[in-house]
mmCIF file with all atom_site columns, all heavy atoms in Angstrom:
data_model
loop_
_atom_site.group_PDB
_atom_site.id
_atom_site.type_symbol
_atom_site.label_atom_id
_atom_site.label_alt_id
_atom_site.label_comp_id
_atom_site.label_asym_id
_atom_site.label_entity_id
_atom_site.label_seq_id
_atom_site.pdbx_PDB_ins_code
_atom_site.Cartn_x
_atom_site.Cartn_y
_atom_site.Cartn_z
_atom_site.occupancy
_atom_site.B_iso_or_equiv
_atom_site.pdbx_formal_charge
_atom_site.auth_seq_id
_atom_site.auth_comp_id
_atom_site.auth_asym_id
_atom_site.auth_atom_id
_atom_site.pdbx_PDB_model_num
ATOM 1  N N   . SER J 1 292 ? -26.450 -11.819 6.020   1.00 44.00 ? 292 SER J N   1
ATOM 2  C CA  . SER J 1 292 ? -26.090 -12.228 4.671   1.00 44.00 ? 292 SER J CA  1
ATOM 3  C C   . SER J 1 292 ? -25.358 -13.535 4.634   1.00 44.00 ? 292 SER J C   1
ATOM 4  O O   . SER J 1 292 ? -25.407 -14.299 3.691   1.00 44.00 ? 292 SER J O   1
ATOM 5  C CB  . SER J 1 292 ? -25.268 -11.149 4.011   1.00 44.00 ? 292 SER J CB  1
ATOM 6  O OG  . SER J 1 292 ? -24.071 -10.979 4.769   1.00 44.00 ? 292 SER J OG  1
ATOM 7  N N   . LEU J 1 311 ? -25.091 -13.869 -19.554 1.00 37.00 ? 311 LEU J N   1
ATOM 8  C CA  . LEU J 1 311 ? -23.951 -12.977 -19.769 1.00 37.00 ? 311 LEU J CA  1
ATOM 9  C C   . LEU J 1 311 ? -22.653 -13.733 -19.701 1.00 37.00 ? 311 LEU J C   1
ATOM 10 O O   . LEU J 1 311 ? -21.776 -13.566 -20.534 1.00 37.00 ? 311 LEU J O   1
ATOM 11 C CB  . LEU J 1 311 ? -23.981 -11.906 -18.656 1.00 37.00 ? 311 LEU J CB  1
ATOM 12 C CG  . LEU J 1 311 ? -24.621 -10.593 -19.052 1.00 37.00 ? 311 LEU J CG  1
ATOM 13 C CD1 . LEU J 1 311 ? -24.460 -9.610  -17.941 1.00 37.00 ? 311 LEU J CD1 1
ATOM 14 C CD2 . LEU J 1 311 ? -24.001 -10.065 -20.355 1.00 37.00 ? 311 LEU J CD2 1
ATOM 15 N N   . ALA J 1 312 ? -22.542 -14.529 -18.656 1.00 37.00 ? 312 ALA J N   1
ATOM 16 C CA  . ALA J 1 312 ? -21.282 -15.220 -18.409 1.00 37.00 ? 312 ALA J CA  1
ATOM 17 C C   . ALA J 1 312 ? -20.963 -16.184 -19.532 1.00 37.00 ? 312 ALA J C   1
ATOM 18 O O   . ALA J 1 312 ? -19.805 -16.391 -19.836 1.00 37.00 ? 312 ALA J O   1
ATOM 19 C CB  . ALA J 1 312 ? -21.362 -15.953 -17.095 1.00 37.00 ? 312 ALA J CB  1
ATOM 20 N N   . ASN S 2 49  ? -17.217 -12.331 -21.515 1.00 90.00 ? 49  ASN S N   1
ATOM 21 C CA  . ASN S 2 49  ? -15.912 -12.858 -21.120 1.00 90.00 ? 49  ASN S CA  1
ATOM 22 C C   . ASN S 2 49  ? -14.874 -12.574 -22.202 1.00 90.00 ? 49  ASN S C   1
ATOM 23 O O   . ASN S 2 49  ? -15.165 -12.752 -23.368 1.00 90.00 ? 49  ASN S O   1
ATOM 24 C CB  . ASN S 2 49  ? -15.975 -14.391 -20.931 1.00 90.00 ? 49  ASN S CB  1
ATOM 25 C CG  . ASN S 2 49  ? -16.832 -14.732 -19.730 1.00 90.00 ? 49  ASN S CG  1
ATOM 26 O OD1 . ASN S 2 49  ? -17.764 -15.521 -19.857 1.00 90.00 ? 49  ASN S OD1 1
ATOM 27 N ND2 . ASN S 2 49  ? -16.574 -14.154 -18.603 1.00 90.00 ? 49  ASN S ND2 1
ATOM 28 N N   . ASN S 2 156 ? -17.218 -13.659 2.046   1.00 90.00 ? 156 ASN S N   1
ATOM 29 C CA  . ASN S 2 156 ? -16.474 -12.928 3.044   1.00 90.00 ? 156 ASN S CA  1
ATOM 30 C C   . ASN S 2 156 ? -15.062 -12.596 2.599   1.00 90.00 ? 156 ASN S C   1
ATOM 31 O O   . ASN S 2 156 ? -14.508 -11.551 2.984   1.00 90.00 ? 156 ASN S O   1
ATOM 32 C CB  . ASN S 2 156 ? -16.459 -13.686 4.374   1.00 90.00 ? 156 ASN S CB  1
ATOM 33 C CG  . ASN S 2 156 ? -17.742 -13.475 5.161   1.00 90.00 ? 156 ASN S CG  1
ATOM 34 O OD1 . ASN S 2 156 ? -18.391 -12.415 5.007   1.00 90.00 ? 156 ASN S OD1 1
ATOM 35 N ND2 . ASN S 2 156 ? -18.108 -14.445 5.957   1.00 90.00 ? 156 ASN S ND2 1
ATOM 36 N N   . GLU S 2 189 ? -25.992 -5.887  -0.384  1.00 90.00 ? 189 GLU S N   1
ATOM 37 C CA  . GLU S 2 189 ? -25.128 -5.212  0.611   1.00 90.00 ? 189 GLU S CA  1
ATOM 38 C C   . GLU S 2 189 ? -23.978 -4.469  -0.043  1.00 90.00 ? 189 GLU S C   1
ATOM 39 O O   . GLU S 2 189 ? -23.674 -3.323  0.297   1.00 90.00 ? 189 GLU S O   1
ATOM 40 C CB  . GLU S 2 189 ? -24.534 -6.205  1.593   1.00 90.00 ? 189 GLU S CB  1
ATOM 41 C CG  . GLU S 2 189 ? -25.446 -6.556  2.752   1.00 90.00 ? 189 GLU S CG  1
ATOM 42 C CD  . GLU S 2 189 ? -24.802 -7.599  3.637   1.00 90.00 ? 189 GLU S CD  1
ATOM 43 O OE1 . GLU S 2 189 ? -23.651 -7.380  4.026   1.00 90.00 ? 189 GLU S OE1 1
ATOM 44 O OE2 . GLU S 2 189 ? -25.451 -8.624  3.923   1.00 90.00 ? 189 GLU S OE2 1
ATOM 45 N N   . HIS S 2 209 ? -20.978 -8.680  -14.108 1.00 89.00 ? 209 HIS S N   1
ATOM 46 C CA  . HIS S 2 209 ? -21.781 -9.384  -15.119 1.00 89.00 ? 209 HIS S CA  1
ATOM 47 C C   . HIS S 2 209 ? -23.270 -9.284  -14.781 1.00 89.00 ? 209 HIS S C   1
ATOM 48 O O   . HIS S 2 209 ? -24.105 -9.592  -15.628 1.00 89.00 ? 209 HIS S O   1
ATOM 49 C CB  . HIS S 2 209 ? -21.395 -10.859 -15.165 1.00 89.00 ? 209 HIS S CB  1
ATOM 50 C CG  . HIS S 2 209 ? -20.118 -11.106 -15.963 1.00 89.00 ? 209 HIS S CG  1
ATOM 51 N ND1 . HIS S 2 209 ? -19.977 -10.748 -17.282 1.00 89.00 ? 209 HIS S ND1 1
ATOM 52 C CD2 . HIS S 2 209 ? -18.940 -11.604 -15.569 1.00 89.00 ? 209 HIS S CD2 1
ATOM 53 C CE1 . HIS S 2 209 ? -18.771 -11.057 -17.711 1.00 89.00 ? 209 HIS S CE1 1
ATOM 54 N NE2 . HIS S 2 209 ? -18.105 -11.600 -16.683 1.00 89.00 ? 209 HIS S NE2 1
#
Side-chain angles (χ1 to χ4, degrees):
Chain J
S292 61
L311 264 184
Chain S
N49 294 126
N156 278 332
E189 274 179 51
H209 282 300

